[in-house]
Amino acid sequence: MPRSYGGWFRLVAIAEALSWAGLLVAMAFKYGLGWPLGVTVMGSIHGAMFTAYVVIALVVFSPLRWRFWTLAIALVASVPPLATVWFERWANGRGLLTEPDSDAPTFWGRVRYVLKELN
């Protein structure tokens, strides 16, 4: 099991890409052989993995200290088939999947502070 934000992100990104590939295969069976059940099953699995990827990207961008554009690219990568693997490789190559050593507040820490002050 992953023990870091980057590890969890990698796991979900690869699972989302595999579910995309499974859905594409199921679509080939549906339209090529007339077997629609695979799309029903893989569509549900891919929907869950797509949702998990979007949620994990929104969760990890703050502790990993991603800029807004990095988050935006991660979210856009969830749409084309297998692009989440490309983004994971790209982010890993630039060191964006390792937690930086910093005492500065994260995005969610700043949001929590603002909400506390408004209350």
Side-chain angles (χ1 to χ4, degrees):
M1 291 302 285
R3 296 179 186 221
S4 67
Y5 291 109
W8 279 106
F9 183 81
R10 279 188 198 99
L11 177 72
V12 174
I14 292 168
E16 196 274 342
L18 290 174
S19 73
W20 238 127
L23 181 58
L24 293 173
V25 169
M27 288 172 62
F29 275 92
K30 177 181 179 178
Y31 296 111
L33 300 174
W35 297 347
L37 181 62
V39 171
T40 304
V41 173
M42 284 309 299
S44 298
I45 292 170
H46 175 65
M49 290 294 98
F50 173 83
T51 303
Y53 178 82
V54 170
V55 168
I56 198 78
L58 291 171
V59 168
V60 304
F61 95 95
S62 180
L64 294 177
R65 309 225 187 249
W66 288 354
R67 295 184 180 276
F68 171 78
W69 293 111
T70 305
L71 173 63
I73 293 168
L75 294 175
V76 168
S78 67
V79 178
L82 310 175
T84 55
V85 171
W86 168 83
F87 177 79
E88 183 272 328
R89 304 283 172 154
W90 178 82
N92 192 37
R94 285 167 174 66
L96 297 172
L97 296 181
T98 57
E99 296 173 49
D101 295 330
S102 175
D103 292 333
T106 63
F107 172 81
W108 294 118
R110 285 185 240 137
V111 169
R112 185 174 36 245
Y113 174 76
V114 168
L115 292 175
K116 192 182 292 184
E117 290 297 314
L118 290 174
N119 198 4

